[in-house]
Amino acid sequence: MSILVYALHYEGEFNQNSLGAVSEGAKLAKELGGECAAVVVGGDDLTDDLCASLGRYGATKVFRGKAPEGLAQPVVDVMAKVIQDNGFRYALFGGGLLGFEIGAGLTARLNAGVTMEVTAVRAQDGGLVAERPILQDSAIVDVGYVGETGIIIGRLNAFDISEGGDGAAEVVDVDVQLEEHSTKAVMVQRGEQRGADVNIEDADILVAGGRGLGKAEGFEACEELAGALGGAVAATRAVVDAGWYPYAAQIGQTGKTVAPKLYLAAGISGAIQHKVGMQNAENIVAINKDPNAPIFEFSDLGVVGDLNKILPKLTDAVKSKKG
Ligand SMILES: Cc1cc2nc3c(=O)[nH]c(=O)nc-3n(C[C@H](O)[C@H](O)[C@H](O)COP(=O)(O)OP(=O)(O)OC[C@H]3O[C@@H](n4cnc5c(N)ncnc54)[C@H](O)[C@@H]3O)c2cc1C
């Protein structure tokens, strides 16, 4: 039973989220006695070597579609053709905004079953069962699939990367006629956002700011610390809604899910809707002036104090240690 995984690339590299999904797909395909293939869509930057490198993560084949990269509908066209021509039973996505959009489009196109926000997948009785948290992550439901195609869309970075593959994957070019509506949108420009020198989904270190920063300018202290640590800046919904920081940096139920090595939360109360997006961080350090702030209940290290004093001192300490 075979699994097709979508892999997103940007500037000659696949993103971490996609590599995790390919690794997961390969592991599950092995358990089902089938194969895991990847699908990539883009232009001339999708070289043979880049595509074949997905073999390191367990893909045996990589289907390469020439179509505009970074837009959902062309990918839906390519994936629908690959699935129909090759009979893949499952399509797996690592999540992220594009993954959600492509997965939803593919579901409609193939009249398939879909599960979103999946945090784990297991092989059971010859098929796949997706685990999806519900009710603000207080319970998990198992979702199985009937019908020809099952679509599984993970939460961002839900799947671990593993380089367990045998080597280079075979690269197969897909000849696909894009639907007329798929070419109506064009990528004009990729926006650069404040604090986006490092992709927050891939960053090992995140310095997250909340309403305790007091004002938009408060984020400068987070940016300085993140810069010193080689990390990126994240935010709560409260500050995004207030216009202090871009939505792309929002962590939580209606934002991104991250799992960095270090999540430093400054002036964040720790609401459940924020927690669900960062609770899988390896180490959580919280700075809050309120000793009863809920975030201390799930922090590895809690610092009670004023972030206006602590953040600059921490930045200086990191810089002098590095220097
Ligand atoms: C349907 C729904 C979806 C939601 N989705 C999300 C989501 O995706 N992400 C998200 O983050 N939220 C989400 N929320 C909002 C969430 O419930 C909280 O309102 C939000 O996370 C609070 O943000 P905050 O921690 O920045 O602000 P607050 O809750 O106001 O906390 C600010 C904290 O800063 C501390 N503080 C103040 N001054 C200082 C200082 N000088 N030094 C140190 N600490 C200080 C305070 O003690 C306080 O704990 C959602 C809510 C709903 C209803």
Side-chain angles (χ1 to χ4, degrees):
M1 209 165 279
S2 304
I3 303 172
L4 183 67
V5 184
Y6 171 64
L8 173 68
H9 75 291
Y10 183 49
E11 290 187 339
E13 276 181 39
F14 292 103
N15 73 353
Q16 305 288 307
N17 184 38
S18 298
L19 295 179
V22 173
S23 307
E24 183 74 10
K27 187 189 85 185
L28 293 165
K30 212 177 223 174
E31 286 174 40
L32 293 176
E35 270 189 286
C36 169
V39 64
V40 296
V41 175
D44 292 339
D45 55 332
L46 274 175
T47 60
D48 286 353
D49 283 352
L50 180 62
C51 296
S53 71
L54 289 174
R56 284 216 305 275
Y57 305 92
T60 48
K61 234 181 226 174
V62 175
F63 292 95
R64 173 171 57 190
K66 287 242 158 142
E69 176 264 335
L71 297 169
Q73 283 305 322
V75 183
V76 172
D77 291 347
V78 175
M79 289 189 77
K81 180 162 172 51
V82 171
I83 289 171
Q84 280 159 348
D85 289 355
N86 300 275
F88 284 96
R89 173 76 179 89
Y90 298 100
L92 177 68
F93 295 84
L97 293 178
L98 194 59
F100 277 105
E101 202 180 337
I102 300 166
L106 191 62
T107 302
R109 183 79 62 85
L110 300 177
N111 198 18
V114 64
T115 318
M116 295 190 164
E117 293 273 341
V118 170
T119 49
V121 188
R122 61 176 194 274
Q124 186 178 309
D125 302 329
L128 293 184
V129 173
E131 294 178 18
R132 183 194 194 287
I134 55 162
L135 301 172
Q136 296 187 345
D137 285 4
S138 60
I140 291 184
V141 288
D142 286 350
V143 185
Y145 293 85
V146 290
E148 277 181 23
T149 316
I151 296 186
I152 302 166
I153 308 176
R155 271 194 184 166
L156 193 70
N157 295 325
F159 307 124
D160 290 336
I161 298 175
S162 120
E163 293 199 27
D166 295 333
E170 180 192 351
V171 182
V172 180
D173 282 314
V174 186
D175 189 15
V176 61
Q177 180 71 42
L178 298 183
E179 300 282 338
E180 200 192 328
H181 64 257
S182 302
T183 54
K184 294 243 156 113
V186 290
M187 177 73 76
V188 178
Q189 177 188 12
R190 277 177 187 270
E192 293 299 324
Q193 66 221 356
R194 188 181 174 201
D197 310 343
V198 190
N199 183 355
I200 68 166
E201 290 145 33
D202 292 346
D204 279 342
I205 298 175
L206 285 176
V207 178
R211 200 150 35 193
L213 293 173
K215 52 185 187 280
E217 290 71 28
F219 268 98
E220 284 161 19
C222 293
E223 285 172 345
E224 288 218 2
L225 179 56
L229 289 167
V233 175
T236 65
R237 175 166 167 178
V239 294
V240 170
D241 285 352
W244 295 1
Y245 220 68
Y247 170 68
Q250 183 179 314
I251 305 300
Q253 186 184 322
T254 42
K256 288 180 175 153
T257 304
V258 290
K261 293 204 167 85
L262 171 65
Y263 192 92
L264 194 149
I268 293 178
S269 57
I272 177 72
Q273 296 91 352
H274 186 76
K275 182 184 173 191
V276 295
M278 44 69 84
Q279 62 193 349
N280 290 331
E282 265 176 51
N283 297 288
I284 298 172
V285 176
I287 303 171
N288 199 304
K289 68 177 185 186
D290 175 5
N292 297 315
I295 195 151
F296 289 135
E297 287 164 23
F298 53 93
S299 298
D300 299 289
L301 178 69
V303 183
V304 179
D306 183 355
L307 60 86
N308 296 306
K309 292 187 185 142
I310 297 166
L311 285 181
K313 280 194 180 149
L314 206 49
T315 306
D316 287 346
V318 173
K319 279 186 181 161
S320 66
K321 180 128 200 185
K322 278 194 168 172

